[in-house]
Amino acid sequence: MQRRKAPLLRRLAGVVFYNLPHPMRRRIVRIATPTYTLGSVVLVMDAERERLLMLRQPPGKRWSLPAGLLNRREQPIEGARRELNEETGIEADLEELIPASPCAVVHTSGRWVDNVFHLERDPETTQVIVDGHEVWDAGWHPVDDLPEMTRATAKLLAHYGLGPLADQG
């Protein structure tokens, strides 16, 4: 195997870097590498997958899905369950949250990744509770007649053949 010699400045930078204390090296790497945001989304639907639970949240009139950012070191399925409960009052066991296909959707040029889960609930018997602050309204909507939604929600739903952009999914 033949090795190419790195330019002098690069070699010097490498020597300096690897002689730094480990915590300092880790901090430099974290600052220098691209970051991304992780979230979890729950598609709450009836057994026939004919109705979808959607939320209207501040600041607008458009609808979205139960979702939120993951806390540090939180598993996506745990974040999905937490956000679902915080935003709708619906409690779900981890076994009930089924990874969607695809199970992750990448947004904003790879800087945002949503982990997506399905949850089956009966709209007639499921009590949905909103706080009026984080969520203004919640409603079950026929999948073939969804309300005006945020652009991000429309793009996410397109991956599952739903919403106004379904033909682009």
Side-chain angles (χ1 to χ4, degrees):
M1 175 171 80
Q2 190 175 10
R3 289 193 176 176
R4 263 188 8 211
K5 244 186 168 179
L8 180 62
L9 186 58
R10 186 171 174 191
R11 284 189 311 216
L12 181 61
V15 168
V16 169
F17 178 79
Y18 286 106
N19 281 305
L20 292 172
H22 181 71
M24 191 177 287
R25 289 196 321 252
R26 185 174 55 234
R27 181 76 178 139
I28 289 169
V29 169
R30 285 188 178 160
I31 290 170
T33 57
T35 60
Y36 54 95
T37 303
L38 290 175
S40 284
V41 179
V42 184
L43 301 173
V44 185
M45 302 180 84
D46 62 334
E48 295 79 27
R49 297 200 176 197
E50 294 176 351
R51 292 195 285 176
L52 175 67
L53 179 65
M54 297 187 77
L55 310 176
R56 197 166 55 84
Q57 298 174 290
K61 298 174 184 168
R62 295 187 176 130
W63 293 77
S64 62
L65 300 165
L69 299 178
L70 296 181
N71 294 326
R72 185 176 292 273
R73 295 182 187 85
E74 183 176 39
Q75 294 298 312
I77 195 165
E78 293 167 351
R81 180 173 66 171
R82 177 183 50 77
E83 285 292 339
L84 177 68
N85 183 261
E86 287 176 5
E87 295 181 352
T88 68
I90 295 174
E91 292 190 22
D93 292 330
L94 293 178
E95 300 80 34
E96 293 181 284
L97 292 166
I98 308 301
S101 181
C103 62
V105 175
V106 179
H107 306 278
T108 61
S109 303
R111 298 192 59 79
W112 186 295
V113 179
D114 275 326
N115 299 275
V116 185
F117 298 90
H118 277 283
L119 177 67
E120 186 178 301
R121 284 292 188 267
D122 180 354
E124 304 304 322
T125 60
T126 301
Q127 183 180 16
V128 178
I129 302 167
V130 298
D131 64 10
H133 178 69
E134 183 180 357
V135 177
W136 287 342
D137 196 10
W140 293 92
H141 300 276
V143 295
D144 57 356
D145 188 26
L146 294 173
E148 185 179 1
M149 62 192 76
T150 66
R151 179 82 177 152
T153 299
K155 289 173 82 174
L156 184 134
L157 287 175
H159 290 277
Y160 305 100
L162 300 170
L165 305 177
D167 58 339
Q168 299 172 23

